Amino acid sequence: MPRERAIVLVSGGMDSCVAAAIAACHHDLAFLHCTYGQRTASKEREAFEAIARHYGVERKMVTDLPFLGQIGGSSLTDPAKDVEEGLSEPGVIPSTYVPFRNSLILSVAVAWAEATGVEKIFIGAVESDSSGYPDCRKAYYEAFNRLTKLGTRSGRVAVIAPLVEMDKCEIVRKGLELEAPLHLTWSCYVRNDVACGACESCLLRREGFRKAGAVDAIPYLGDT
């Protein structure tokens, strides 16, 4: 029997890669990747393509949301803003938050799902060990699913965030368990060649690997 198809939002980062590995256990995969003027767009696209090749994904959509860069408001898209180093303070949303980004990308995914008869969309959002982005909360995805139920023809399109309650250590371990190609992923907010090792995304990733007792294969600035 053919497996049900699922769309996976794949940024090229570790979390979305593990979400894809989870989806691959029971579904045929279609990958969606969006660029929006982020600093590391070229490296993220490279990682996306590598992950797609690893899983043999032929159904891919790559789209651009340039207005997010035009709107600004984020150090990921505005070169005049510096990306903070270190971990963000609890309760403070860092400058790397891109206003309403996940809602816009998910809207593309829902439209693609509805047009192709897909009912499940996977996203690698994390609440418990993330930068505190408001669109990475479990409550946000519960609310978004109420919207998709009301706003689609079938009412059956659902967004699944399998990592939302995990921390980075648990995500690394799940990725290793499922043999996800973590070495192909990219998490740095700043650089396209060697990960900076100082931005929050790099720090959370490195700490996750350390706690999991695993080696991170990607290069970091200053490593010998």
Side-chain angles (χ1 to χ4, degrees):
M1 293 291 292
R3 302 200 302 175
E4 180 185 7
R5 188 180 306 164
I7 292 171
V8 186
L9 275 60
V10 179
S11 66
M14 181 175 70
D15 299 341
S16 64
C17 180
V18 176
I22 292 171
C25 293
H26 301 289
H27 298 84
D28 184 21
L29 303 181
F31 277 7
L32 172 65
H33 179 77
C34 291
T35 60
Y36 48 91
Q38 70 271 40
R39 294 169 184 259
T40 55
S42 62
K43 188 65 177 180
E44 290 179 25
R45 174 67 185 274
E46 178 185 314
F48 164 80
E49 295 292 353
I51 296 166
R53 286 193 298 272
H54 176 87
Y55 285 107
V57 176
E58 296 181 356
R59 300 177 184 88
K60 299 181 294 182
M61 178 182 291
V62 177
T63 190
D64 188 21
L65 305 177
F67 56 85
L68 282 174
Q70 295 165 2
I71 290 169
S74 170
S75 59
L76 292 191
T77 60
D78 186 347
K81 293 178 179 289
D82 293 329
V83 174
E84 301 102 330
E85 294 185 352
L87 300 177
S88 58
E89 298 179 22
V92 176
I93 299 174
S95 72
T96 51
Y97 167 66
V98 180
F100 220 52
R101 178 190 61 184
N102 284 356
S103 301
L104 294 163
I105 295 175
L106 282 169
S107 294
V108 175
V110 171
W112 190 25
E114 192 170 21
T116 56
V118 171
E119 295 183 353
K120 293 182 180 177
I121 299 167
F122 284 77
I123 185 171
V126 180
E127 177 176 7
S128 59
D129 190 7
S130 70
S131 300
Y133 299 157
D135 54 3
C136 285
R137 295 175 293 176
K138 183 179 179 181
Y140 165 84
Y141 290 97
E142 292 171 347
F144 195 91
N145 277 326
R146 292 195 293 272
L147 175 64
T148 62
K149 186 172 183 178
L150 291 171
T152 57
R153 182 185 295 112
S154 70
R156 292 196 295 268
V157 178
V159 177
I160 300 167
L163 315 182
V164 73
E165 296 183 286
M166 294 185 184
D167 61 28
K168 281 292 188 288
C169 175
E170 293 171 316
I171 292 169
V172 171
R173 286 175 174 164
K174 175 59 73 172
L176 295 173
E177 174 193 334
L178 297 177
E179 299 183 348
L182 302 183
H183 63 289
L184 300 178
T185 65
W186 194 254
S187 301
C188 184
Y189 285 152
V190 180
R191 299 176 64 103
N192 288 284
D193 50 356
V194 178
C196 74
C199 69
E200 183 163 41
S201 186
C202 280
L203 292 172
L204 288 170
R205 176 182 175 127
R206 298 190 85 173
E207 182 67 2
F209 272 91
R210 186 191 68 79
K211 287 184 176 179
V215 175
D216 189 357
I218 72 167
Y220 288 88
L221 196 65
D223 286 355
T224 56

